[in-house]
Amino acid sequence: MKKTMMGNFAASWGAQLSRAQVIAAYPITPQTLIVEKLSEIVADGKLDAEFIKVESEHSAMSACIGASAAGARAYTATSAQGLALMHEMLHWAALARLPIVMTNVNRAMAPGWSIWADQNDSLAQRDTGWMQIYSSSAQDILDSTMIAYKVSEKVLLPTMISFDAFFLSHTVEVVDMPEQKLIDEFLPPYNPEYKLDIQDPRSFGALTDQNHYYEFRYKMQNAMDDALIEFKKAGAEYEKLTGRKYDFIHPYRCDDADLIMVTSGTISETTNVAVDRLREQGKKVGNLKIRMIRPYPKQDVIEALKNCGKIAVIDRNISCGYHGIFSQELKAALYGELETPVWGLIAGLGGRDVQVENIMKMADDTLKSDTPKDIIWEGVKR
Amino acid sequence: MKLTIPYEEIMQPGHLACQGCGGSLAMRYALKVYGKNTMLSIPACCWAVIDGPFPYTACGVPIFHTAFETAAVVASGIKAGLRVTGKGSSNVIAWAGDGGTFDIGLQAISGAAERNDDITYIVYDNEAYMNTGIQRSSATPPGAWTTTTPVKHYKTGPKKNIVEILAAHRIPYAATASVGYPEDMIKKLEKARDTRGFRFIHVFAPCPTGWKSDPKYTIKLAKLAVQSNIFPLYEIENGIDYKQTKKIKTPKPINEYMNLQGRFKHLSEEEIGNIQKDTDKNYSILSKRFE
């Protein structure tokens, strides 16, 4: 059934369709609408869930951890400062191997106070052991929620689905809502082998010496490797049910491209338009949308980029003191595999609008340039 | 004499508590009352270690070990998770030390109390951060030495009144208890177990290591604190109905309690006299609520 909805509501309905059983959340702009809608859905009895209205994001994640450990499917949503406040518990959820799914609305970190789009919040959580998806449409947000639960519950790692503040959270798009029975077929009830159970008392997360902890990490890494396979499988199964295909990367007109722009989030959608216009001008430019950064789909990325002459990564984030994070990740993947030069572009921090013309200029400048640079500030006022 | 303490032992031998640990006794009594149909949320505190290293456990009930400030809300999450999966009849206890309760965890406790989440919160109070090696907490009493309040700069401020803070949330049940009075503690645990909503029990649990006391004096100290009105035993229903459960006819002077511990050894007679005055004043304020 087609409906029009904001990106935020796509997240709420994603949680509903996934039959989340415990929701614990604290409101933060621009995520607020997600939890408002969910509190209504739960109160109206449209979703058989407990909604714990916690007093902080740190507690939101902690409550999800408790619920998940007790064997319930847990969901929360946050943004920026809220996500940062959760940081400790993000590690806890991943190390406890709890398949929690969380929506994060990508928003700039303060100060200065900003409520606008920027990926530094979620990318700062890159090493917490969460799988990370970057969505670029309301449809993607909705569908990713169910796929995330499917994979999370298979490999026992949590997943974070991020998308840009306002450009997506508050934009109304047409979304195809799958039938509940279709999703029930895709996503069976959560029933973990190991959980808090009075019939089988165990201690979870106890003091762990040097003889065991190392192996926990090793197993998490293996689970991330498994996730690369499971996401492909879940994506293929979801495509069969709904006709919509989701992969780690989505290449657009990349096959014969001289230059491939590497993008994520809503900038990916804008870049597709820029690519079409550049193609009309006879410039062979493609766009590689990266949807997944953890686990990093290294082989897929190399495969998509192997034939182009130049790569330009647009980052709506920066690791100050080095450069854009997607750009760093990409260069790490290419090392020893491809020698294609990489231009690192920073754009749109703090919600600065990145328009088709900006992207066309970035592509043109890269095509004209012979020397790659780690960091090029697009449109900065010096 | 009729023995009211349940016979069944749920906590197992082989735990890692120090000799004379009041906190381990507190757990033993709590599990006797709450039974096997119980789960624990334990944050960073002595009990994170006492329970035993992975893959061992001494409690005989499921435990989820969690971060320092989250015992209450993880317990709330567990309870919600159990309810939606049809297992809501299990007891969920958040079990934490004074640091995780009086200090870093206070926000999450206040949140769970305000929501009246259906959990029991039990703090075993040994009056400092004992697990990290005896640093002061806001439960540390005035006059006490700790490693962060050395003799030269011992703690002068009062102990945070955690029970009053919790009672102000108008929770169904709050109580103080002491491992020196197990029968009183058992009664309170039973009452808490059979109440719905947020229940809070503040257990006085001496720590020989941190208090520089002889392990054989744990019970004696736990009794003396009550007998000298340093730690009165009472309960509060719905935040307003106060009831004293152990009335002390002739309170003992506090130095009898303090002299058995190395942490107060540096205090002069005058300083002890001032602490005595504060103790009397605090008790007089509290006793008005029993009327």
Side-chain angles (χ1 to χ4, degrees), chain A residues 34-50:
Chain A
I34 301 177
V35 299
E36 284 176 352
K37 178 60 78 187
L38 275 170
S39 66
E40 199 179 298
I41 289 170
V42 174
D44 287 348
K46 289 177 184 159
L47 177 64
D48 185 16
E50 296 259 343

Side-chain angles (χ1 to χ4, degrees), chain A residues 348-366:
Chain A
L349 302 184
R352 182 78 58 87
D353 200 8
V354 180
Q355 301 193 348
V356 177
E357 292 72 25
N358 303 117
I359 293 164
M360 289 174 75
K361 179 182 171 291
M362 286 188 259
D364 276 332
D365 289 349
T366 312

Side-chain angles (χ1 to χ4, degrees), chain A residues 21-22 50 52-56 58-59 62-63 65-67 69-72 88-89 92 96 98 195-198 201-208 212 216, chain B residues 36-39 48-49 51-54 57 60-67 69-70 73-74 76-78 80-85 87 90 107-108 111 115:
Chain A
Q21 293 171 293
V22 175
E50 296 259 343
I52 312 178
K53 279 123 191 182
V54 286
E55 75 294 339
S56 81
H58 194 282
S59 283
S62 304
I65 286 168
E88 179 192 21
M89 302 318 287
W92 212 282
L98 299 170
K195 63 184 169 208
L196 294 163
D197 180 0
I198 51 152
R202 290 165 190 264
S203 161
F204 293 85
L207 180 72
T208 306
H212 295 100
F216 292 169
Chain B
K36 284 187 172 164
N37 185 23
T38 301
M39 296 183 183
V49 177
D51 182 50
F54 173 84
T57 173
V61 298
I63 300 176
F64 191 83
H65 289 270
T66 189
E69 63 280 44
T70 62
V73 67
V74 165
S76 299
I78 291 171
L82 292 175
R83 261 199 307 259
V84 288
T85 53
K87 293 173 180 151
S90 292
Q107 171 183 298
R115 290 188 302 271

Side-chain angles (χ1 to χ4, degrees), chain B residues 240-275:
Chain B
I240 41 175
D241 296 329
Y242 283 66
K243 191 180 144 203
Q244 192 168 23
T245 59
K246 181 87 193 160
K247 192 157 170 55
I248 308 299
K249 279 182 194 143
T250 326
K252 292 192 170 168
I254 59 162
N255 52 9
E256 203 175 316
Y257 166 76
M258 293 174 107
N259 288 345
L260 287 178
Q261 304 173 56
R263 63 173 173 160
F264 297 116
K265 226 163 132 186
H266 52 277
L267 297 174
S268 66
E269 257 179 55
E270 191 196 347
E271 285 164 326
I272 292 176
N274 288 335
I275 296 171

Side-chain angles (χ1 to χ4, degrees), chain B residues 17-82:
Chain B
C18 305
Q19 270 194 339
C21 170
S24 59
L25 273 176
M27 178 69 92
R28 185 175 158 224
Y29 295 139
L31 288 176
K32 275 173 175 285
V33 173
Y34 271 71
K36 284 187 172 164
N37 185 23
T38 301
M39 296 183 183
L40 297 166
S41 152
I42 301 185
C45 64
C46 287
W47 256 101
V49 177
I50 296 172
D51 182 50
F54 173 84
Y56 305 106
T57 173
C59 278
V61 298
I63 300 176
F64 191 83
H65 289 270
T66 189
F68 209 174
E69 63 280 44
T70 62
V73 67
V74 165
S76 299
I78 291 171
K79 187 71 185 186
L82 292 175

Side-chain angles (χ1 to χ4, degrees), chain B residues 197-271:
Chain B
F198 192 88
R199 298 88 93 187
F200 184 83
I201 299 186
H202 180 187
V203 184
F204 191 78
C207 168
T209 311
W211 293 10
K212 295 180 183 290
S213 58
D214 192 317
K216 74 180 177 194
Y217 290 142
T218 292
I219 299 300
K220 190 168 188 179
L221 284 167
K223 282 183 187 293
L224 281 172
V226 174
Q227 289 163 355
S228 47
N229 282 338
I230 288 171
F231 194 86
L233 295 177
Y234 59 102
E235 57 188 13
I236 311 166
E237 286 182 40
N238 304 311
I240 41 175
D241 296 329
Y242 283 66
K243 191 180 144 203
Q244 192 168 23
T245 59
K246 181 87 193 160
K247 192 157 170 55
I248 308 299
K249 279 182 194 143
T250 326
K252 292 192 170 168
I254 59 162
N255 52 9
E256 203 175 316
Y257 166 76
M258 293 174 107
N259 288 345
L260 287 178
Q261 304 173 56
R263 63 173 173 160
F264 297 116
K265 226 163 132 186
H266 52 277
L267 297 174
S268 66
E269 257 179 55
E270 191 196 347
E271 285 164 326

